Amino acid sequence: MTTDENAWEGFVEGTWSQEIDVRDFIQRNYTPYEGDASFLAGPTEKTLRVWNTLEEKYLSEERKVRILDVDTDTPADIDAFKPGYICEDDDVIVGLQTDAPLKRAMMPNGGWRMVETAIHEAGKEYNPEVKKIFTKYRKTHNDAVFDIYTPRIRAARSSHIITGLPDAYGRGRIIGDYRRVALYGVDHLIEQKQKDKDRYVDQPFSEHWARYREEHSEQIKALKKLKKLAADYGYDISGPAKNAHEAVQWTYFGYLASVKSQDGAAMSIGRLSGFFDCYFERDLKNGVLDEAGAQEIIDALVIKLRITRFLRTVAYDQIFSGDPYWATWSDAGFGDDGRTLVTKTSFRLLQTLVNLGPAPEPNITIFWDENLPKGYKEFCAFISITTSSIQYESDPQIRQHWGDDAAIACCVSPMRVGKQMQFFGARVNAAKALLYAINGGRDEMSGKRVMEGYAPIQGDGPLDFDEIWAKYEDMLDWVVGTYVEALNIIHYCHDRYAYEAVEMALHDAEIVRTMGCGIAGLSIVADSLAAIKYAKVYPIRDETGLVVDYRTEGEFPTYGNDDDRADDIAATVVHTIMDKIRAIPMYRDAVPTQSVLTITSNVVYGKATGAFPSGHKKGTPFAPGANPENGIDTHGMVASMLSVGKLDYNDALDGISLTNTITPQGLGRTQQEQITNLVGILDAGFVPDDSCAYDGTKGY
């Protein structure tokens, strides 16, 4: 492999210098840091000028109107817009999605209807010529999906037993290995992709062979557009980055190209700190950079990540409880060789929350292990307490299943960077499925029959657990089968009509694909089945015989209190659904996975769902993720963590989310006491045999 002789000077060579292998580069060149936060620098004057300008001219105005501006003439693409800047001082890390801060772009490849609705909701008018192109001449992903959808998928979708399917927007959950742009330069990546494309030129024709070659052609085109994007900003990224500033800028250009061309439900940036730190340490050692300059670069990058925006509808915002895009940045943890992956840049990333103030994006995710350096753990706790802007995941679990160069796509979904992608699939309403089982396929909210051939329960109770469980399993066969069928259709169409060319260009030629299924309403199902099993539950019917409410007599165990009777029911539900998912063939031979995750959509699911034997009221929000029902976990935070820990991670390899809220005062009287106690809680929650990824301290 040839490269600029200065670009890699001072780095220890290895496999990475002969073939594309970013992990090998990091392992040979990063410097673990086991000290404290005393070395950190505050914001530079330039950083403050840029941030204050952004706040005064753009962010404050956007908060008044929801969407500040939309370009209604230019379909988005990697190189579709002229360069844009926040202000004259915006010259450290450059690049905006459009030509002005917070101006959103149309991405009609996913579907024109959503774009048109979003434009009107923003108070704008679309260009009729653009509509003509994407309704007459250019088929969209959404058009294709609805051409294929079956009647039962449409019925399940409209009744909200399946919600949030990515059939009109970008699926997301794909993390390009943006570090490759900096380490190798785009020319080498293009050269390698051309070799990958031609590797099988003598193969007989097959659909797989044709798609493989076509996708690699699209990837090469995208990389060429990436070079043009950078050139428009005055940078030549054809070769490797030669210093820390270029390494960060080159990496950001790769990410920027992705968010310019796709509006994925989650657009994570990956695992960057260890990679960047190799360059920072080299520049600091050579005296060409000081700590203030290093922090300024990271601050500038985070500013750009904070102002990523997509043109979304009000309905989309309701599903996801706001306008998240999950630019998740994963950090810390350990390498397979036992060295901590905490670096000084891990601290610099957290310091942005001090220098710029708290923010939900980028979604900073710490891979926690009780053996992380003490100074880093305490700094994480301090930042959590003062900003409520960090989430935590179990490093031992992630490393065991996905390796030490994994990152989180979205909230809790881990994958090997550059070697794996996910077919994102929203989730099924596992709680509503229980009500369908009781009512024989009739919707408890509308009274409509959604499934044919299922008999409702008879009589006025009390309900029999064995009968209800058998009916629930039968109903799950229908629901899961319909759900996976929809996902297979969606991702077949997405690959054809909204392919993520630049993100996939930053992956290996042959990758692992997972199908990210998910469930909502676990705690409601567990508590309701526990009520049926351990108490007496009587159905209450309306005039048509539809069960619309329940009268429950007696006490029953509840999930979230470290009570095996209820917790085992929850674990059995997760295992049962996953077994049904595993039994169905997946598009492109994807590996089926499952998440217990509704951090944002629990409100929407609740509105579409009726009352339960557990006492959960009609139309009220679900508990998020794997959380116990609100107010039901009466034995404290540790008990709820132990209950969630009984869910088998092998049945939910896409992640298990537990969200806990603690006030700082609840952790102690002094700040040091609060920090010490929070570290202790996190250590207790992430013991090595813990079976969940804990998404924990947002809300402090």
Side-chain angles (χ1 to χ4, degrees), residues 551-566:
R551 177 170 55 86
T552 300
E553 296 179 355
E555 297 183 352
F556 56 92
T558 51
Y559 168 73
N561 294 294
D562 193 23
D563 188 319
D564 286 346
R565 294 174 297 168

Side-chain angles (χ1 to χ4, degrees), residues 451-637:
M451 295 93 159
E452 298 289 344
Y454 293 86
I457 59 154
Q458 301 296 321
D460 296 322
L463 300 180
D464 178 75
F465 177 83
D466 291 335
E467 179 189 9
I468 296 300
W469 179 257
K471 286 182 175 293
Y472 186 47
E473 277 221 65
D474 287 344
M475 188 56 60
L476 287 176
D477 286 335
W478 190 100
V479 173
V480 170
T482 304
Y483 176 43
V484 174
E485 182 179 59
L487 296 184
N488 284 335
I489 291 168
I490 287 167
H491 294 294
Y492 166 80
C493 294
H494 207 296
D495 277 349
R496 292 190 68 190
Y497 298 102
Y499 181 64
E500 301 92 339
V502 75
E503 290 166 84
M504 296 312 300
L506 300 172
H507 282 71
D508 291 352
E510 300 288 352
I511 61 169
V512 173
R513 293 175 174 86
T514 61
M515 184 69 79
C517 305
I519 59 173
L522 176 63
S523 58
I524 299 173
V525 175
D527 290 352
S528 293
L529 288 171
I532 294 168
K533 186 172 185 177
Y534 294 102
K536 292 184 177 181
V537 176
Y538 299 88
I540 299 173
R541 303 176 185 272
D542 67 8
E543 62 277 5
T544 71
L546 183 73
V547 177
V548 294
D549 206 348
Y550 303 86
R551 177 170 55 86
T552 300
E553 296 179 355
E555 297 183 352
F556 56 92
T558 51
Y559 168 73
N561 294 294
D562 193 23
D563 188 319
D564 286 346
R565 294 174 297 168
D567 298 344
D568 287 350
I569 291 174
T572 300
V573 170
V574 173
H575 179 74
T576 299
I577 293 175
M578 189 63 227
D579 265 0
K580 295 180 184 299
I581 293 170
R582 290 188 184 106
I584 304 172
M586 301 286 159
Y587 171 63
R588 294 187 83 163
D589 297 321
V591 178
T593 61
Q594 180 177 215
S595 65
V596 186
L597 170 68
T598 47
I599 290 176
T600 55
S601 53
N602 47 301
V603 175
V604 171
Y605 273 109
K607 287 182 179 179
T609 307
F612 285 87
S614 64
H616 186 95
K617 301 298 182 183
K618 171 183 176 181
T620 57
F622 289 4
N627 275 53
E629 277 281 82
N630 297 326
I632 297 297
D633 50 333
T634 57
H635 288 56
M637 181 173 171

Side-chain angles (χ1 to χ4, degrees), residues 380-401:
C380 286
F382 165 74
I383 295 295
S384 285
I385 290 166
T386 56
T387 71
S388 183
S389 297
I390 308 178
Q391 94 175 1
Y392 296 90
E393 306 266 351
S394 170
D395 182 62
Q397 283 291 341
I398 291 171
R399 192 170 68 255
Q400 176 186 349
H401 289 86

Side-chain angles (χ1 to χ4, degrees), residues 37 52 104 110 113 126 130 165 290 322 325 347 382 402 451 559 566 569 595 602 660:
N52 290 337
R104 308 186 189 213
R113 181 176 55 182
Y126 59 82
V130 177
L165 291 169
D290 60 14
Y325 45 94
F347 281 80
F382 165 74
W402 311 106
M451 295 93 159
Y559 168 73
I569 291 174
S595 65
N602 47 301
N660 277 323

